Amino acid sequence: MLLEYLVLGVITSLLTGAECEETEVFAEAGSQAVLPCKGSHSYHMSPCIVWTKAKKGTVWRKDRSGLQYWGSNWTSKGVRRVQCPHSRFERNDFSLQINNVREEDGGQYSCRVTDGHMLTERLVMLRIIKVSVSSSVPMWGSDASISCQVTPWPQGASLQWTLNNNTFKPRTESASDTDVHVVREKATLKLSGIWTCLVGYRGKEGRASAALTVKGIITPPTDGTKVYAAVGSAVTLPCVFSSGLTPSNPVWEKLKPGFLFYPAPGLLPASFSLSSTSSQPLGDKSGSLREVGFEDEGRYRCSGTVDQQQLTRNMQLVVAKIVSSTPLKKTGSVTLTCQLTDAKGVTDYEWVHVVSDLNGSQSVQSVQKGNTLSIDTTSEENQGEWACRFYGKDGVLGNVTYHNQMMSGLSGHTSSQTPHNTAAVLGLSLFLLVLLLILVQMFKNHQRRKKIFQFPALETIVHTNSNEQEERARNQEKM
């Protein structure tokens, strides 16, 4: 091998017009790498082309006769991983293509093109970039590591990580140039996506990517997610596990207020139940409230066990209602206030008027901004639904409605009808009193007759004695 390089060196020194340049090439492991080699002048005859790798010998060679040779390390089971397309020779392009590059393919390559006494030499440094993860699908809460390996590593190169095309700054980063740069993080859903390692060196840039999927509770994606609901409505508290995960012992708890770091569980609302339908995935352990009360606001926790690891997710239920003031006697106007149990994160309020026509269709008209609204409840124009919409930085968070229905006879005639109503009430009361007295007297008479006829035999005896006495009195008078 040393003799071969010595002979080539002697030949190079004897030939005229020899040129030597070095080019940096980055390629991702498993992709195709193209090593450039362009001649500097036109060749009058078929040149001799030799591609070699430092310390590995010949990669590919073509003689002037047109015969081609491949190195033994570049052919496996009749399949050659390297080629030099002849169609480009006319353009003095003798670039080498390496398919399915591996880490061991990294290193320095040399391209020599010989035409008579002219020798053109190009040096190419091929660096293979590979991104690997400790586990392609780590469990939420476990340790995850993503590494970027460059073979050979260029001293003084820069390295940058991106996650889903956004720059990612690791909490711990290697301070020295090594062959492996590693990101170590606790596996959470925010780590899911495409990780890309960007390497820059001498004006060239290379990149490699790998996908990472974290399994666990995917909905809601983070702790502290707020769920908004109006008083009296139904709401679903989401708790969905990754596809393929079937948690055991799913538990829902309402957390007591005042415990931020170690919240204590409390009682769930009476209307709470686990959502369960035949079409629901096995990993969906969401809960629901049939009718939300203002007192149901607060923090809730969903948990389940997967592979002996407990996964939890905390969320907050924010309840909204509309509070109306007492109507003014003169104008009948009321002030409506849109009230939320937690208004943090609410950036704007909007009041809209929902009106239904005879055909059942509805029209919505925006009225004003702000969390309060004053309306005249006696005006027909203000009848229907009044909805308060509240917004966050990402759009509408929720809404709550107020129904305004005008009662007949409330405007303009209330005072004039008061005497007539009073007289009618007094007359009706007098009639009921007389009727009551008659009923009492009838009841007494009935009771008296009932006592008299209680002993009918005694009444017959008294009547018979009276008749006998009268008969004796008449007989004495005759005598």
Side-chain angles (χ1 to χ4, degrees), residues 106-127:
Q108 189 181 62
Y109 291 77
S110 173
C111 169
R112 293 184 180 90
V113 182
T114 307
D115 181 19
H117 297 289
M118 297 298 297
L119 172 64
T120 300
E121 183 177 13
R122 300 284 187 263
L123 296 180
V124 180
M125 178 59 73
L126 175 61
R127 303 186 190 276

Side-chain angles (χ1 to χ4, degrees), residues 373-400:
L373 174 71
S374 296
I375 61 171
D376 181 3
T377 57
T378 62
S379 175
E380 294 184 1
E381 295 180 354
N382 293 332
Q383 302 313 301
E385 288 185 358
W386 290 88
C388 171
R389 294 175 179 173
F390 36 95
Y391 295 81
K393 62 180 181 178
D394 297 326
V396 179
L397 299 176
N399 65 81
V400 58

Side-chain angles (χ1 to χ4, degrees), residues 83-89 93-97:
Q83 60 180 343
C84 194
H86 291 32
S87 59
R88 300 180 180 179
F89 289 175
D93 188 350
F94 311 104
S95 300
L96 183 71
Q97 295 179 356

